[in-house]
């Protein structure tokens, strides 16, 4: 069984929780593939995702702009002081004046600049933090979010409480919670029905704004040897 990792007095983000399952057979209940579990909870869907600070891209962009602006300002000040322009600026001006627009290096430079610009626009227009699921507000001034790894841990622990479940693997995404369990006794349909009810209640207890849809698959353990 997987256990949270960390030391006393520290906080550490937990990895994706998975239960080790050996090579298993394909014995599943006849309706396991097309079974549609009951809805977990009715979320209002009004809470938006958390925005990432994106400190690294912002710092890199600021450093590049600062260095470029500093070099140009220094060169312009040198020219104003009746000193020759720096060699790199003379070479750059000569190259831009002599090279045609269809030159391979001009096209490569334009493509790189366009790609970087689009990347910055995407970062500016998207919230990021895809691993944090927004939770419903209980106070107007407080926002809370739950990491997907922690949600998987909660669902894993609740699934292990169901009679007949030997091992379970849980993956929680933004829109779906995928649960794959191995049952060593009891009828597979009964185990799956109990998992549906238990995990639906667990998802309801997470208090998420947009609860993920629940997908449960149950199979028998594979033969050893």
């Amino acid at each position: 069984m997987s256990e949270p990792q960390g030391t006393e007095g520290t906080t550490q983000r937990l990895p994706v929780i998975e239960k080790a399952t050996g090579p298993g057979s394909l014995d599943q209940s006849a309706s396991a593939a097309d079974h549609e579990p009951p809805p977990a909870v009715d979320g209002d869907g009004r809470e938006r995702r958390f925005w990432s600070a994106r400190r690294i891209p912002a710092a890199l962009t600021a450093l590049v702009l600062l260095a470029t602006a500093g070099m140009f300002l220094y060169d312009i000040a040198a020219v104003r002081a009746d000193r020759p322009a720096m060699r790199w600026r003379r070479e750059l001006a000569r190259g831009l004046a002599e090279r045609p627009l269809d030159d391979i290096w001009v096209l490569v430079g334009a493509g790189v600049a366009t790609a970087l610009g689009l990347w910055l626009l995407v970062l500016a227009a998207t919230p990021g933090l895809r691993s944090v699921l927004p939770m419903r507000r209980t106070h107007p001034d407080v926002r809370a979010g739950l990491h997907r790894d922690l949600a998987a841990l909660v669902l894993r622990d609740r699934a292990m409480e169901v009679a007949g479940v030997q091992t379970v693997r849980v993956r929680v995404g933004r829109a779906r919670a995928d649960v794959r369990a191995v049952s060593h006794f009891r009828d597979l349909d009964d185990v799956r029905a109990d998992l549906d009810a238990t995990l639906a209640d667990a998802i309801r207890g997470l208090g998420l704004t947009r609860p993920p849809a629940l997908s449960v698959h149950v199979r028998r353990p594979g033969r050893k040897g």
Side-chain angles (χ1 to χ4, degrees):
M1 179 181 299
S2 300
E3 295 183 356
Q5 298 179 356
T7 58
E8 185 176 356
T10 63
T11 301
Q12 182 177 359
R13 193 180 71 178
L14 297 175
V16 176
I17 303 303
E18 294 186 2
K19 292 289 292 183
T21 57
S25 62
L26 298 179
D27 297 336
Q28 291 189 2
S29 59
S31 60
D34 56 355
H35 175 71
E36 295 182 0
V41 66
D42 294 331
D44 51 25
R46 289 178 292 181
E47 282 297 324
R48 296 182 178 180
R49 287 166 51 192
F50 289 84
W51 279 77
S52 172
R54 292 193 171 99
R55 294 180 177 87
I56 294 179
L60 292 177
T61 303
L63 288 176
V64 170
L65 293 178
L66 179 63
T68 304
M71 287 190 299
F72 274 104
L73 288 176
Y74 176 82
D75 194 53
I76 292 175
V79 173
R80 293 290 184 180
D82 296 331
R83 293 185 177 183
M86 298 179 69
R87 181 176 179 180
W88 65 267
R89 193 161 73 93
R90 295 198 304 269
E91 294 293 337
L92 178 62
R94 184 181 301 110
L96 293 177
E98 295 176 354
R99 290 181 182 272
L101 294 179
D102 58 352
D103 183 78
I104 183 63
W105 292 110
V106 174
L107 296 178
V108 170
V112 171
T114 302
L116 290 176
L118 291 177
W119 178 60
L120 293 176
L121 289 176
V122 170
L123 291 181
T126 54
L129 292 182
R130 299 175 61 88
S131 60
V132 179
L133 303 174
M135 302 177 67
R136 290 193 300 269
R137 289 197 183 191
T138 58
H139 191 279
D141 297 329
V142 177
R143 289 192 66 196
L146 181 65
H147 200 280
R148 283 191 278 181
D149 293 344
L150 299 180
L153 175 64
V154 172
L155 298 183
R156 193 283 310 270
D157 290 343
R158 290 294 300 274
M160 289 299 298
E161 297 175 358
V162 175
V165 174
Q166 183 181 29
T167 58
V168 63
R169 182 177 61 192
V170 180
R171 293 184 182 273
V172 176
R174 291 179 55 200
R176 178 178 174 180
D178 188 20
V179 180
R180 298 182 179 274
V182 176
S183 175
H184 57 303
F185 71 93
R186 296 184 66 198
D187 183 76
L188 294 182
D189 288 334
D190 294 339
V191 175
R192 192 190 64 250
D194 289 347
L195 283 173
D196 285 339
T198 300
L199 295 179
D201 180 70
I203 292 177
R204 184 180 300 109
L206 295 178
L208 300 176
T209 300
R210 299 177 182 177
L214 182 60
S215 175
V216 177
H217 301 270
V218 184
R219 63 179 176 87
R220 292 296 184 195
R223 295 181 180 179
K224 295 183 178 180

